[in-house]
Every structure is written in structure tokens, then in C-alpha cells.
Amino acid sequence: MKLFDPTSKPVERAVEIAPRPASLKGLRLGLVDNTKFNSDTLLHKLAARLATRHGITVALTSRKRSPSHEIDEAAVKTLRAQADLVVSGIGD
Amino acid sequence: MIPLEAVEDPQKLIEAYYDAGWTDGLPVVPPTDASVEAMLAAGGFRGDEVIGEIAGRNQVVVADKVAINAVMAGCKPEYLPVVVAALKGLCHPDFAYHGPASSTGGSAMVLIVNGPIVRALGVNSGNNAFGQGHRPNATIGRAVRLVMMNAMNTRPGFLDRATLGNPGKYAFCFAEHEDDHPWEPLHVSRGLRAEDSAVTVYASNSLYQVYNQLAAAPEPLLRCFADALSNLGVPNMKGFNQSLLVLAGEHTEIMRTSGWSRRRVQEFLIEHTRRTVADFKRAARLPGEVEPADATTWRRLFERPEDILIVCAGGRAGSWSACLPGWGNKWTRAITTVIAGGPEMAPRPPVARAAPAKP
């Protein structure tokens, strides 16, 4: 007799990490608002603090369709083109 | 497959599945080569066939894992097409699986089966439709949850972060009672043909029953639904959920004889499912002090008729129906998928619909 494994693991995919900037000074910031409640408030307070401390500018804010949905490819393309640094990931 | 030394005692084999962490807490049916092959054959699937994918989790759902979990759940082979169609629904982008599957809200995945396959498989739509005692209902729902746990990376405490969960997370599958229906059945209301068999997947918070033994017309009865759906603790008030109403027993008859259309019922509920801003503020569901105008400022919980899903199920006797509030505001949508290759039906490509083609 034998056991049948009912599980499957996530598919491993190589992800290329963007090089870390040596300094935040003057960088263009992109915000990804996942639309959780108050996420926009928190992200913009964070952006204001980064602007004060490091002189970053908010280049764009991208709002996801919902927290459940992935960010769409068009938004990723725009972020790549217009931002040097992206902040995302807000919980409740 | 994991080779194991010979295990002669079935109890030991069942314990081995527990020890591996592969069960939902209940004993499973240990698969065999023959039972897994029979399961795949009934659905007409190759073992390596991709059923669906949850892109955000890099998780691919493959037929042989579905078959193994379906055997473990106690499914008969002929149930597999329903399980597969339900999984295709969960993998549909508009269902947005990650939210309802992982949320602290702990939603159950409700499966509503329609069409000729209901009779062919004996899926219960009558007395005790939500309850125990019917193998298709119990094992199809259970198979979907086992696949979620084992093959879609949805384990309690990890990517299933339910605060309380609900009992429907073990299994929640029933059929719509299409005889003596006041209107067209659910799958037809969502753009499919009456002769299609289909399963609708819907992420639901816990159900509560609605009782009314005196109402003889739709208005007073529907006011009970509106009240139940707008309680101060309901998640709907955060912005236009879907919700599911299950009309049962004498309530179905009231609707059938009233001549009200499905659309009229939905519009009545949009109008009457509401609370004042003052109510929500007093309950700290909205921030701020109560202002004089808040007592006459209404907040409605639905905006589109098609977001109020209405099905008929349950026994003919009794003054009970049920509300099943949806999980998450606009973050997930019910998906209706044609069941391909079921018994007594010609195989056809699956069609998934996120929204009705007509009102």
C-alpha cells in the first residue's frame, strides 16, 4: 500500500530584484494603494515624511482594483517608467 | 506519491494521512491507483492536465491532485466534473481567490449546483439542503476545500487567516430547487441555458435564517430580509457586497403566487436594505460624532440588482429562508461555470461567467 500525496507546492519562479539605490535623495516615488481602508492616508503620510527627510517626490499613485486582485501589468509598466522607488503593502 | 512500507491496517493508513497534515480534521478515504484512475477517467482528464491557476500564489491546480483529493473526500467518480467546474470558478480572475481564501473573515466557498446534473447525481436541493445526509453535497463541497488546503496553498494558520472560520468551510454544496420556482433558475438568470448544468461559487460569511410565519405577501417578508442584511455588524456596509438569499418552504410559494419578478424583489431590497448614518456612527461602524442630519441620511447596502443573488432550496414546509452575506466589498464576485462532461451530457468547453448577461 502507499500514500498518495494530495499536495502541490507553488511553482518556483525566478524574480529579479531591482538594484537598491545608494541614496533616496531626489528619487521619484511610486505608491501602490491596495485600497484597504486608510491605506491611502498612511501611504501619503509616509510619502510626506520621505519627502521631508530625503527630498523624494511622489511621481504617481496607482490604486489596485481591490486588495484581493493583483496589480495589473499596465500599472507595473507605468511604475517602471515613472518611479525609481515603489512603496506598497498595507494591511488593516 | 510517497512510498510507504506495507500498511495492512486501514486505520493505520487513515492515521498516516492525519500525520501528514493532509486532512480537514475528518478521516479521509485512502486513495488507490484504481480509485484515482477511475476519478480521472470519469472527468475525461489526463493526470497532468491544468485545471486552473492562482497567479498571485504561483499555484497551479493539476487534475491528478484534484482526483486524489476527491477520492479522499469520498466523492464518487461521476462527481468530479462538478468539483472541477467549481475549482475553475475559484481560479477565475473575478473571483479574486486570494482575498476570500485568506481573509480573517473566514468565508465558506458556497457551491450552488443547477441543471440536469442535479438529478443525475442526486445533489440535494430539498429538506435539509444545507445539512447532513447527502453524499454529493457533503463530498463535493469537501473535495473543493481539500483541494484548496492541499493544492492551493490555503492552510489554516498560514494563508488561511480566518479569525473564527465557519462550519461551511468543511463543505457547503447544495442544489437549487428548480421545480415550482418563482422565476428562472440561478444559472439561467446568469446567462446560461436551462439545459446547461452549472455550478456557482460564492464566498459567503456565515448564514443566518430568516423566519416569518405570518407574511402572506412579498413586502413584509422582504422587509425581514432587508433587516437581516443590514444589521450593524454586517460586512456589507463597507460598500456594496454581493449577498445570497435562499428562499425556502412557504416563502418560495409566497413569491411564486405573488407575480413579483426577480428584478422587482432585487429592487425592493436595494431600496429597503439601509441604515442611517446615525445608526452606523453610534455603533462605531463609521467614525465621528452623530450630527443632526445623520438621523435622516441613509446608507444603502446594495447598488446593483444583480448583486443580490436569489436561489430556491430547502423543504416545502416551514417558514424559514436564509441570508448569506458576501465576503468583502467588491473584492470578489460569484462565478458560474458550466459543468463539462458530466453524466448524460455531451462534453463541452467550460464557460465561466462573472456577471449576468441580462438583468
Side-chain angles (χ1 to χ4, degrees):
Chain A
M1 297 178 81
K2 62 189 178 188
L3 290 184
F4 286 74
D5 184 352
T7 68
S8 50
K9 293 183 168 51
V11 176
E12 291 188 11
R13 292 189 174 131
V15 176
E16 186 181 348
I17 303 293
R20 307 290 93 175
S23 164
L24 297 181
K25 187 173 181 181
L27 294 185
R28 301 168 301 164
L29 177 65
L31 300 174
V32 177
D33 177 0
N34 68 2
T35 72
K36 280 269 185 181
F37 305 105
N38 293 321
S39 62
D40 52 348
T41 303
L42 186 58
L43 282 170
H44 284 101
K45 283 183 182 292
L46 177 67
R49 191 165 294 186
L50 288 170
T52 302
R53 291 187 182 175
H54 302 287
I56 64 106
T57 55
V58 177
L60 76 161
T61 299
S62 176
R63 279 176 62 82
K64 283 176 50 175
R65 180 175 165 190
S66 86
S68 296
H69 292 84
E70 296 168 59
I71 189 167
D72 61 66
E73 282 301 317
V76 172
K77 192 174 175 185
T78 305
L79 286 162
R80 278 206 181 107
Q82 298 183 15
D84 306 304
L85 176 73
V86 174
V87 176
S88 181
I90 303 297
D92 286 316
Chain B
M1 290 177 283
I2 297 176
L4 193 73
E5 67 273 18
V7 180
E8 300 298 336
D9 182 351
Q11 178 65 30
K12 287 183 179 171
L13 194 53
I14 290 170
E15 291 298 330
Y17 280 85
Y18 273 122
D19 292 344
W22 293 339
T23 85
D24 52 7
L26 294 167
V28 297
V29 176
T32 63
D33 285 319
S35 63
V36 173
E37 286 167 14
M39 194 66 73
L40 287 168
F45 295 107
R46 301 185 319 272
D48 62 354
E49 199 163 334
V50 173
I51 302 300
E53 182 177 4
I54 307 295
R57 296 185 172 190
N58 290 341
Q59 196 75 49
V60 177
V61 182
V62 181
D64 64 350
K65 299 297 183 181
V66 175
I68 290 168
N69 280 286
V71 172
M72 289 166 57
C75 287
K76 288 183 176 180
E78 56 264 39
Y79 301 170
L80 192 73
V82 187
V83 174
V84 167
L87 292 169
K88 287 178 182 290
L90 295 185
C91 292
H92 191 287
D94 288 337
F95 189 81
Y97 178 83
H98 181 67
S102 62
S103 168
T104 52
S107 58
M109 303 307 174
V110 175
L111 316 181
I112 305 157
V113 186
N114 277 104
I117 202 167
V118 170
R119 206 177 296 273
L121 297 183
V123 187
N124 183 30
S125 64
N127 291 88
N128 205 33
F130 298 161
Q132 82 289 2
H134 292 269
R135 182 173 178 179
N137 300 50
T139 62
I140 291 170
R142 187 188 187 199
V144 168
R145 179 55 66 171
L146 283 175
V147 172
M148 288 173 61
M149 288 178 59
N150 288 325
M152 293 169 75
N153 199 10
T154 311
R155 294 193 160 278
F158 295 93
L159 284 184
D160 174 349
R161 309 298 297 182
T163 303
L164 286 167
N166 76 61
K169 291 182 71 182
Y170 281 97
F172 201 154
C173 173
F174 65 97
E176 185 167 30
H177 182 48
E178 297 183 7
D179 298 334
D180 300 327
H181 199 295
W183 313 295
E184 73 283 11
L186 178 69
H187 67 309
V188 177
S189 78
R190 293 170 64 78
L192 300 180
R193 301 171 305 173
E195 60 267 33
D196 288 326
S197 288
V199 60
T200 300
V201 294
Y202 166 74
S204 169
N205 283 16
S206 293
L207 75 90
Y208 38 91
Q209 297 196 67
V210 173
Y211 174 73
N212 190 326
Q213 201 170 23
L214 282 179
E219 290 97 331
L221 177 59
L222 292 174
R223 286 182 190 280
C224 295
F225 284 101
D227 187 59
L229 286 164
S230 59
N231 73 70
L232 289 172
V234 80
N236 296 39
M237 64 83 53
K238 286 187 172 178
F240 306 127
N241 271 1
Q242 281 185 323
S243 280
L244 172 64
L245 275 60
V246 180
L247 291 170
E250 294 153 23
H251 296 166
T252 306
E253 185 62 12
I254 290 170
M255 290 299 166
R256 197 175 66 80
T257 56
S258 72
W260 279 43
S261 66
R262 181 192 298 269
R263 183 64 172 237
R264 185 175 174 189
V265 170
Q266 291 165 324
E267 288 175 347
F268 183 94
L269 289 168
I270 289 175
E271 174 63 24
H272 290 87
T273 309
R274 61 181 190 170
R275 297 293 292 250
T276 66
V277 169
D279 282 343
F280 284 127
K281 282 187 171 178
R282 278 192 288 268
R285 293 298 308 277
L286 287 174
E289 296 294 320
V290 177
E291 307 290 342
D294 292 341
T296 54
T297 304
W298 295 92
R299 190 151 175 166
R300 288 190 169 76
L301 283 80
F302 300 112
E303 64 177 352
R304 301 192 314 164
E306 55 267 33
D307 284 343
I308 303 172
L309 308 174
I310 307 173
V311 306
C312 295
R316 285 194 166 83
S319 300
W320 301 95
S321 289
C323 293
L324 294 85
W327 173 90
N329 56 333
K330 289 185 176 174
W331 296 351
T332 177
R333 280 293 175 264
I335 301 294
T336 300
T337 306
V338 169
I339 299 166
E344 300 177 13
M345 292 183 296
R348 71 171 75 245
V351 177
R353 292 182 187 274
K358 59 184 179 182

